[in-house]
Amino acid sequence: MIGPLSRGIGRTSAFGPGAATAPPAVANPKTVPGRRVAFFGHDLAEPTVRKRVDAIREAGWSVIVYAFERARPGGAATPREADDAVPLGRTVDRNYASRLPRLALGILRALRRGPDLRAADVIYVRNLDMALVAWTSSRLAGSRARLVYEVLDIQRLMVRPDAPGRIARTVERWLLRRSALLVVSAPDFIDRYFRPVQGFTGAWHLLENKVMGHRLGEVADRLDRTRAAEPPWVIGWFGTLRCRRSLTLLAAIADALGDSVRIVLAGRLSEEDIAPRVLAETLDGRANMAFRGPYANPRDLPEIYSGVHFSWAVDYLDDGLNSDWLLPNRLYEGGLCGALTLARASTATGRYAVAEGLGWAFPEPLADSVTAFLRTLTPAVYAQRHARLLACDLATFVDVGGMRDLLVRVD
């Protein structure tokens, strides 16, 4: 049964040499009625955008969402808010060349709601391109709201050594100097990029990719965190499925272990990274692999994690860079739902999982390491580690008041 959220709320974990320490959060349990946020997002339907907007509302602030949309597979519609969404147009994922004129058009569309921009107390932005749209449109509208710049991933453009990379970093440094607060989801983003690469010395806030506390009531009565500690071992890879190498590795593990393992995939397929044809060919002939399709988060988490022993928290999309620094949603969702983490050694995710007792981290070659581990894993060893997971305070996985603390810092 899910217990009360009490101990450790708002704590910051350190997990490895050089881990950054976030500035202490300001304790303030009160909401701030009448305060307003203009939120600029890259994709209105993207789950983390919806998650942030909901958290701002839960903190007692009103929100108007200025957001672009992305094409949905099969023409699926983008969900909208009835009265507080300002559509800025449509962009294409990672197609920077075609995005610039659309960003300019987005500025003009945002200015149609100039009075709302002027009324905002805080401009909250996701990613560099949205920061440019937000800063330009808000200043043209006459707003003097404080800018909060959130970065959940260090895009590969930002670390390129060529001219486009240098230009992007220069623009970001300009925006950082004009931001009241930088928000990151993992300490390594500060230690590995913002301080050494961008020379950043300003205020920052750690807001991990945890399950939002105010949404926990939707799933708490359906969560079953118990597991049968015996084969077949079930590995779940859930969320936005981008990493083609992970798909290849999971297929190799499925082939090597046969009936002693089951691999379940669920979520949104990033077709720019894994074509539907590639997924279909991978699943074809592998009875121990299945794709369940999209799911609603957090509503469907109890169902998709039911009986799953391990959450696959491996990413190679930006190997050596962002993939090594991030702390993904599935790390926290899996732990909340009773699944232990499988991660790569020498990454932030791996260090965190081991330090917090949430699972295991493996060296390369990963498929061989995980296969050997599962072949020799005993029910007793699994049960012992799983008991440690269940003993973790739920604040390890659930965020309560994180957005409220953040907004207090810029109010």
Side-chain angles (χ1 to χ4, degrees):
M1 180 177 178
I2 299 297
L5 298 174
S6 53
R7 295 178 291 110
I9 295 296
R11 67 174 176 77
T12 299
S13 297
F15 46 92
T21 302
V26 179
N28 185 351
K30 298 185 297 181
T31 59
V32 190
R35 306 301 273 167
R36 304 177 182 180
V37 174
F39 184 98
F40 283 74
H42 66 294
D43 182 1
L44 185 59
E46 211 271 335
T48 58
V49 168
R50 312 306 309 163
K51 182 177 176 179
R52 288 291 184 262
V53 171
D54 288 347
I56 292 169
R57 290 198 183 103
E58 180 66 18
W61 294 54
S62 63
V63 190
I64 293 181
V65 184
Y66 299 77
F68 287 93
E69 300 177 42
R70 298 281 170 87
R72 301 288 129 196
T78 298
R80 294 175 178 272
E81 294 291 328
D83 57 356
D84 61 358
V86 181
L88 301 181
R90 180 163 291 193
T91 59
V92 179
D93 193 20
R94 272 175 272 165
N95 191 332
Y96 297 104
S98 69
R99 192 177 300 176
L100 289 176
R102 302 184 187 200
L103 295 179
L105 185 58
I107 292 171
L108 297 177
R109 288 172 172 158
L111 284 170
R112 295 174 185 172
R113 297 284 291 268
D116 292 317
L117 288 173
R118 286 191 294 275
D121 300 288
V122 171
I123 307 290
Y124 196 113
V125 302
R126 285 281 308 276
N127 302 333
L128 179 59
D129 51 359
M130 296 311 304
L132 285 171
V133 172
W135 176 266
T136 305
S137 58
S138 64
R139 270 32 185 184
L140 287 175
S143 170
R144 292 296 177 264
R146 306 187 77 185
L147 183 70
V148 174
Y149 175 41
E150 180 181 84
V151 179
L152 295 187
D153 292 289
I154 307 298
Q155 301 295 333
R156 63 189 72 170
L157 170 67
M158 305 307 300
V159 292
R160 281 169 48 175
D162 57 6
R166 290 194 298 272
I167 292 170
R169 288 190 295 276
T170 298
V171 172
E172 184 176 61
R173 284 193 294 272
W174 183 88
L175 281 163
L176 285 168
R177 290 194 295 269
R178 287 155 178 81
S179 299
L181 189 67
L182 168 66
V183 180
V184 296
S185 58
D188 273 19
F189 290 166
I190 299 294
D191 279 345
R192 304 297 180 89
Y193 173 73
F194 281 107
R195 281 180 181 153
V197 177
Q198 292 293 57
F200 177 74
T201 58
W204 64 279
H205 190 94
L206 179 66
L207 193 62
E208 294 171 88
N209 287 313
K210 297 181 179 182
V211 178
M212 301 309 299
H214 67 277
R215 303 289 302 273
L216 188 59
E218 300 177 30
V219 301
D221 61 345
R222 293 182 287 119
L223 276 179
D224 182 1
R225 305 181 79 207
T226 62
R227 293 292 184 273
E230 60 186 12
W233 302 115
V234 183
I235 302 173
W237 184 30
F238 305 140
T240 300
L241 307 182
R242 296 182 181 275
C243 180
R244 185 165 176 174
R245 187 169 173 183
S246 280
L247 181 64
T248 301
L249 290 170
L250 289 168
I253 294 167
D255 290 343
L257 295 176
D259 292 341
S260 65
V261 71
R262 289 176 46 225
I263 295 170
V264 181
L265 283 59
R268 183 179 72 84
L269 187 67
S270 174
E271 296 185 9
E272 300 87 356
D273 303 292
I274 302 175
R277 172 188 55 81
V278 172
L279 177 62
E281 290 174 352
T282 303
L283 299 179
D284 186 37
R286 292 185 171 93
N288 56 353
M289 288 188 73
F291 177 52
R292 295 186 54 172
Y295 61 91
N297 189 332
R299 186 192 68 200
D300 296 339
L301 290 180
E303 284 69 39
I304 66 167
Y305 275 99
S306 178
V308 171
H309 295 100
F310 304 103
S311 174
W312 183 261
V314 172
D315 182 70
Y316 288 96
L317 201 63
D318 290 307
D319 191 19
L321 299 168
N322 188 68
S323 295
D324 291 9
W325 306 336
L326 57 76
L327 295 174
N329 290 282
R330 53 181 65 98
L331 176 68
Y332 307 100
E333 293 172 357
L336 174 65
C337 295
L340 289 161
T341 295
L342 300 181
R344 297 167 59 198
S346 302
T347 66
T349 303
R351 295 197 309 274
Y352 188 97
V354 171
E356 296 289 334
L358 309 183
W360 291 270
F362 300 93
E364 301 290 352
L366 202 68
D368 293 345
S369 298
V370 175
T371 298
F373 165 75
L374 292 177
R375 276 198 175 118
T376 58
L377 179 64
T378 65
V381 169
Y382 181 88
Q384 182 181 37
R385 184 62 61 92
H386 190 255
R388 185 178 174 186
L389 172 74
L390 296 185
C392 290
D393 193 288
L394 285 181
T396 307
F397 317 113
V398 178
D399 180 277
V400 176
M403 180 58 72
R404 183 180 293 113
D405 292 340
L406 186 161
L407 291 172
V408 164
R409 297 188 64 188
V410 294
D411 185 27

